[in-house]
Amino acid sequence: MTGSIQTKTTKSGKRMLYAVLYYKDPATQKGCTKWVSTGLEEKGNKRKAASLIPEYVEKYKFLEHAKMEQSAETPFADYYSAWLEKKKTDGSIELSTWEGYKMHSTHIIDYFSEHRVKMCELAPKHFQEYYDYQLQYGKKSQKTGERSALAPRTVRSHKNLIVSSLNQAVIEGILSSNPAQYVTVRGKCDKDYRKKEAFLTIAEANNYLDFISVHYPRLLLAAYLGIYYGFRRSEMLGLTWKAVDFDSHKISISQTVVRVITTVEKERTKTKSSARTLDLLPNVEKMLRRLQQEQQENQAFFGNTYHDTPYILRWENGKPYAPGLFKQCLHKSSQRIWAAGTDAPPAAPLLRVHTV
């Protein structure tokens, strides 16, 4: 285990020194870090803080040798971190779901590491204070360092994770009850964030497709799949050539590709009802046949450097579209149409066609 000194700015604006310990997790053999507050301000204390590293290395050396024994004296931030890591390996959730948890958990771990609250000390007020803080200062600008509010819906996601972790603590006998269970997050209700479904008329849909065909021809097939079939982004990206039956003129949805941090291929759809087989529209079938021929030509051109993937939506060199970039391209194309003065709203590729 090794360590270094890093600086963090607290919510009060003070620049405090932290010892960052680097170690290898004994279960996964992956590199990990643990942040420990020295309680020292940055100015004039760097040498003193550095001298504390051997003490912290000795104190936390157990992290490299065995799983930490959890008890009521365990700091909540440490218990939560261990709970989160266990969720990654116990098979109860998808990797993409865990990565979403991990992104939210950064706020939780940082806040409670700073406040050093033990499991036995937890009370509803600690979580009310945490939620109120996130609703005011939870978001930090990477450019300016200024803090602003997180959305209530995001903070409610934090609450769900906290409650789940403490429910496990109750099961393990560390706590007799869950102190976070009945604490509410103030602000707009989740239903207030729901977007109303928008519909395109046939004329608007045709205008959109005409624009895409001229300015973003590689997205034309995706635009058709979104508008006329209502495919999700993950469903489009998960389409393989095995899903297309030219003889029976059918296309099937049976798997998806999603990404939070890691791109994950799933051999299933979001829900059971999402798995479906549909008739191929003549113009879609024509585009698919043309694309298949193009990909065969690309494979011959690139030779050994070609990425032979099964996905329909991919770049010239065979690499599949990344979910984030794919979404960004669709969004930009929609924004250009909107700016150009057409009647199609910005989210056009994700909408349904309204035939009235």
Side-chain angles (χ1 to χ4, degrees):
M1 180 182 288
T2 60
S4 67
I5 297 299
Q6 302 289 339
T7 303
K8 265 189 182 182
T9 303
T10 67
K11 63 180 181 180
S12 61
K14 291 184 179 180
R15 292 178 62 79
M16 305 297 292
L17 295 173
Y18 283 73
V20 184
L21 305 179
Y22 307 92
Y23 66 97
K24 186 177 289 186
D25 185 279
T28 64
Q29 293 301 302
K30 292 183 178 180
C32 301
T33 59
K34 180 173 181 61
W35 287 64
V36 182
S37 173
T38 65
L40 300 172
E41 292 190 26
E42 179 185 41
K43 188 174 182 180
N45 288 312
K46 286 187 176 180
R47 183 173 296 180
K48 182 178 181 181
S51 69
L52 297 173
I53 289 180
E55 176 186 334
Y56 292 131
V57 168
E58 177 66 23
K59 181 178 179 180
Y60 291 99
K61 66 181 181 180
F62 65 85
L63 292 172
E64 286 190 320
H65 302 292
K67 182 181 176 182
M68 183 173 68
E69 190 67 30
Q70 305 289 356
S71 71
E73 294 297 317
T74 302
F76 172 59
D78 291 348
Y79 177 85
Y80 182 89
S81 297
W83 171 83
L84 182 65
E85 288 303 313
K86 186 177 180 181
K87 295 294 287 183
K88 184 179 182 180
T89 58
D90 65 9
S92 62
I93 57 175
E94 299 280 355
L95 175 60
S96 56
T97 302
W98 183 86
E99 288 180 344
Y101 288 2
K102 181 75 171 177
M103 292 172 68
H104 286 304
S105 296
T106 301
H107 296 269
I108 299 169
I109 295 170
D110 286 352
Y111 179 92
F112 284 100
S113 292
E114 183 178 332
H115 287 74
R116 306 182 189 181
V117 184
K118 296 179 181 179
M119 295 290 285
C120 60
E121 297 171 337
L122 288 173
K125 70 173 185 177
H126 293 116
F127 301 106
Q128 190 67 73
E129 289 169 356
Y130 169 77
Y131 301 145
D132 291 345
Y133 172 76
Q134 298 299 336
L135 289 170
Q136 285 187 288
Y137 309 108
K139 186 186 297 184
K140 183 178 180 180
S141 170
Q142 294 183 350
K143 291 183 178 180
T144 65
E146 293 182 356
R147 290 194 169 272
S148 57
L150 282 177
R153 182 170 56 178
T154 301
V155 181
R156 289 192 184 98
S157 296
H158 296 189
K159 176 188 173 181
N160 292 339
L161 291 171
I162 290 171
V163 170
S164 294
S165 69
L166 294 180
N167 281 342
Q168 184 61 36
V170 173
I171 293 172
E172 294 171 358
I174 297 173
L175 298 178
S176 59
S177 62
N178 189 334
Q181 187 169 2
Y182 300 110
V183 182
T184 60
V185 177
R186 303 183 179 99
K188 293 171 66 175
C189 297
D190 288 353
K191 65 181 181 180
D192 296 331
Y193 290 94
R194 293 174 188 162
K195 296 179 180 179
K196 294 181 179 179
E197 284 195 3
F199 294 90
L200 301 179
T201 65
I202 292 177
E204 289 169 342
N206 287 334
N207 286 340
Y208 179 80
L209 294 172
D210 287 343
F211 185 93
I212 290 292
S213 66
V214 174
H215 298 281
Y216 300 91
R218 294 196 65 83
L219 297 180
L220 185 59
L221 176 59
Y224 268 95
L225 295 176
I227 289 178
Y228 286 95
Y229 289 104
F231 286 177
R232 298 181 177 95
R233 177 187 62 174
S234 60
E235 293 172 342
M236 297 182 200
L237 294 174
L239 277 175
T240 66
W241 287 111
K242 289 183 179 180
V244 180
D245 187 338
F246 288 120
D247 293 332
S248 61
H249 309 287
K250 300 286 185 181
I251 186 169
S252 301
I253 292 295
S254 60
Q255 66 182 51
T256 58
V257 171
V258 299
R259 178 178 183 178
V260 177
I261 298 173
T262 306
T263 299
V264 179
E265 304 165 10
K266 299 183 181 182
E267 295 184 354
R268 61 186 181 280
T269 53
K270 186 174 182 179
T271 63
K272 289 183 178 180
S273 60
S274 296
R276 57 208 187 273
T277 299
L278 304 165
D279 293 329
L280 273 177
L281 294 170
N283 49 358
V284 173
E285 181 174 345
K286 184 177 180 181
M287 281 188 286
L288 285 168
R289 288 183 181 276
R290 186 166 60 243
L291 181 59
Q292 188 176 60
Q293 177 63 34
E294 178 188 318
Q295 289 179 358
Q296 291 171 355
E297 294 171 357
N298 287 338
Q299 186 170 9
F301 176 80
F302 282 93
N304 293 334
T305 63
Y306 188 78
H307 298 266
D308 192 10
T309 57
Y311 297 106
I312 292 175
L313 295 176
R314 44 179 153 155
W315 298 104
E316 290 90 340
N317 64 358
K319 281 190 175 182
Y321 294 152
L325 180 61
F326 184 71
K327 178 181 178 181
Q328 185 181 29
C329 289
L330 286 174
H331 181 71
K332 283 185 176 180
S333 66
S334 303
Q335 292 289 352
R336 279 198 61 180
I337 296 172
W338 185 252
T342 70
D343 294 330
L350 308 179
L351 306 180
R352 310 293 185 266
V353 175
H354 183 43
T355 58
V356 176

